[in-house]
Amino acid sequence: YVADASGEVLPCPTVVDKDSCNKQSHCVWYDQTLSCGDTPCMKHCKEENCTADWPNQCLWMNGALCVKEEVCNYPTTDPARCEQDDKCELAPDQKTCIKKKCHHDNEQGCLADSDPCEWNNLAQTCGKKPCTYQTMTTCEQDLDCMWDLNAGFCELKKCNTYKTEGDCLTKPTIAGLCVWERQIGGDSLCVPAPCKQYSSEKECSGDTYCEWDISISPGMCNEKYCRKHCIKSSCSPLTCGSDPKCMSVGNGCVAKVCDKLAKGNDSSCPCHADPDCFWIPSEQVCVDTRYGTCPTLDIVVLFDGSASMGKTFGRHPHGYFAQVEMLKKWVQGLPLSEQSAGQPSTANRKTRVAFVQFSGAPLDGSPVTGPIPGSAQKTPSGTGTAGRLSGNVVELLADLSWHEANYMAQGTYIRAGLDMVVGIFQNSPLDGRRRALFIIVDGSIQDKSVLDSAQSKLSSQQVEVFGIVVRRFASHTQLDSDAEETLKPITSDPHTDHFMNVDMDELAGENGPLTKICDPMTSWGRALALQPASGEHMPCGKYDGKTSCMADRGCTWSETLLGCVQSPCVAHCDQVTCDGDLTNGCVGGWNDQENTCYRMGVCGGDILTCEIDESCEWNQTSSDCREKRCNHKTQDSCLADSESVCLWKDTMTCVVMPCVNYQSQGECMQDSVNGCEWIGGNKCVQAKCAHFVEVDCRGDALCDWQTSNQTCTVRPCVEYSDDKSCDADRRCHWDTSTSPGSCQLKRCAKYPSQDMCEADAGCLWEQDVCVERTCHKLTERCACQQDPTCFW
C-alpha cells in the first residue's frame, strides 16, 4: 500500500480528494459519487483472476495482493505506448508519460477536478479551461488568449482584437461571444454580444439586463429572458405582454412581479387572470401564488460566508456570489410589507427579512469557548436596512450588494451569527407575527459545541429554525454528510421537517427550500403555512384533497388533472359576466365587498335539506353542508384524493376508508372488524395493515403478508418518522441519501431466520435479529476485502 505522510494506510472512504485517493494503490476515485472507494482489484484473491482484470488495471504484488497499477507508468523510452492510452499524455519534455488532465466522461467529475477543467454540454466532453496560463509567454503562445498587462493575468482575447467580420464571428473560443456591428459613425467593429463581456457571475448580475445562465455548461452571462422582446433599449409591449413570464414596465420588458399587476380592490382582475398570482382580498394585494399561504412573517437568513463557498458550485464559478444572487431573486418575489426598517410593521399577510453573514477564525488558534469576535456581520448604519428587519425591497437589495462586496472568506463559525440573529428578533415585537430563521451552510459547523445558549434564546423567542446544506455537486459527498450532521441538531423539532440538503441551483428554485417556505403540501413548509379560516379563499394548489378543495369556493376539483385548480368563476371581472356563467356554477357568486366572482356550492341549506341530497353531507365541525367526501367518478381521481383517504371499490365506486367517520374514541375503538384505532387524541384511522386478504396486504406498500399464520403485518421500520426512533431499532437505519430522510430496513435484517441469515456471508445472527457482520470477526484478508464496509 501507499501510506499517507504519517505512514498510516487509510481506508479509501476516508480520503476526500481525488488526487490523494488515486495515489493510494488500493483506492480509486469514482466520479459518479465524487467519493473514494476500494479498487475492484482488491476483491481478487488469486493471481490468475487479478492479472486477467485488465480493464481495472490490476497488478499482482508481492505474491499475495492484487492492487491497482499506477496509471501512465510507461517507460520514457516508449512514448508511443503513452500516446495510445486515452488516459495519458506526454509531458512537455515529450518523454515522461503523465495522466491526462480533465479526463472525465461526465460533468460532475469534470467540475470536481482539482485542475481547472470545464464541461461542454453540447459536445459532452471535459476539457481544460481556456487561458489559465500563469505567465505572459505561455499565454501569448495560445492564439485564443491575451495577457492583461494591468491585471497581470491571462484571459480570452477581447472582441475588439478581431478586425474582420469573419474573424469576429468564427475565431472566439466561445460561440456567440462577439458580434459584428455597425457603429454610429458608419464603421463596423467587432464588439461583445449583449452581456457576454462579463466573465463572472458577480459582474453579470451588476448589469440590469443580464443574468447568469446555467442552462448551458460552462455557465455564462446572457441577456435576461424577457430581453428577447427588446432591441437595445426599445421593447415591444405587444409581445412582452403576451409572454406569461414577462410584463411591460415603462419602456422596458421585465420578469413578471405579481404585486405590480394589481393593487386596490378595483384592479384585482389582472391578478385573478394570472395563474402564477393570487389575490388576497382582505389586504387588497396581489402576491406570487407560491407565497399565498404565508402568514404575517419575519425571516432572518443567516448565510455562509466561509472560504469554501468561494469554490465552483455546479455551473456557478463562485458559490458565495451565486448564493447572494439567488437571495436577491428570492427576496424580489416575496410578499414584502413595503415598510422600511425601523418602522412599525402593520401589514397583514406580509413579510419582512434581514440578512446576517457568518464566518471567522479563532484568535491565535485558541480553543473556541464562545462567540468569536468579528465572525458575523450585518450591514452598517446608513446602508440598506442597517442590519434590521425590513419589507422594503430596495433596502434588502442594498444589504445583499453590501454583503457581496464584503465577503468574509474564513472558517465556518456560526455562534456570533446566532447571537446577532437573537438581537434582531429582540428588537422587533412579536405582534402576532411568525418568526423563522434560515441557516445556509456548505460545510461542517466548527463551533457546534458552544451553540446551546443561542439555541435556547431563539426557542424562547418562538423562532422556527430551518437548516439548509448547499452542495457543490448533484451527488452527496462525505463533506455534505458532515455538514448535515452538525447543522441538523440546531434546527427545530422535528429536525427532519426543518432540514434540507440541496445543490446550489435548488436553493431558490421552483421546488427549493426558500420557495417552499409556506407550502402546506410539504413537510418543510407546513410549519409556517397559514391555516385558512372557514370560507376564506386560498391558492388552490395548496389543497391535497377534493373535500377541502370544494369547500373553497374559489377552487374546483379537476377530474382530468386529478387536483385542485382555480374555479373559472374567479376569472370573471364583473357581476354581469359572473351571473351569466351557468356552466361553471357561478350564478349568484358575485361578492361586492371583494369584487370577485366565486363558484356557488352544489350543497347548502340546513341539515335536513343537506341529508336529502345524496352528493352532500353535513359537517359537524363547521355546521354547514358540503359535498360528500370521496365523491369521485373515476379510480384515478379517487386514489389521488389523499386528504379524504378514499378507497376505490370493486363496485366501481369511491368510498371513504373505514374508521375515518368516527368522531369519538368510544365508537372508534368499538369497530374491531375494520381494525380502527384512535390516534393523536382526535382522529380515528384504520390501523396500518389491517388487511385480511393476501392480495390487499401485498398491495399495501407498508405491509408484509405472513404466509405461516395468514396475517398482515406492518413492514419493519416504515412506522418511524424521525432518526432517533429509527436508529433505536436494531433492525433499522435512517437513510439520508434522499431528502427528506426516511427509515429503512438494514440489509441483513430482512432475513427472518438464523439459517437464512448465516447463508449470507455478510450477516450474523445475534439475539434473534440478523445483523451485518462486523469487520473484526473476519479473520481472512480476502474475505475482509470482499466486504465493501471493511478494511484490512
Side-chain angles (χ1 to χ4, degrees), residues 140-160:
E140 293 181 342
Q141 285 174 353
D142 189 326
L143 298 179
D144 293 323
C145 307
M146 60 182 289
W147 188 261
D148 187 319
L149 291 172
N150 294 322
F153 63 81
C154 191
E155 62 181 351
L156 281 170
K157 277 188 176 178
K158 296 187 183 297
C159 295
N160 61 12

Side-chain angles (χ1 to χ4, degrees), residues 23 60 75 107 120 131 138 160 210 232 259 336 346 353 388 403 408 482 539 571 579 603 607 622 654 681 731 744 749:
K23 286 177 183 176
W60 189 251
E107 181 175 1
N120 185 317
C131 306
T138 53
N160 61 12
C210 306
K232 293 191 174 179
D259 69 359
L336 296 172
T346 56
V353 184
R388 298 170 292 175
H403 281 292
M408 299 177 78
D482 293 343
D579 288 339
C603 300
I607 187 170
S622 55
C654 187
R731 302 169 300 167
Q744 301 292 333

Side-chain angles (χ1 to χ4, degrees), residues 412-423:
T412 312
Y413 292 89
I414 198 173
R415 169 59 192 277
L418 288 174
D419 287 347
M420 202 169 277
V421 171
V422 169

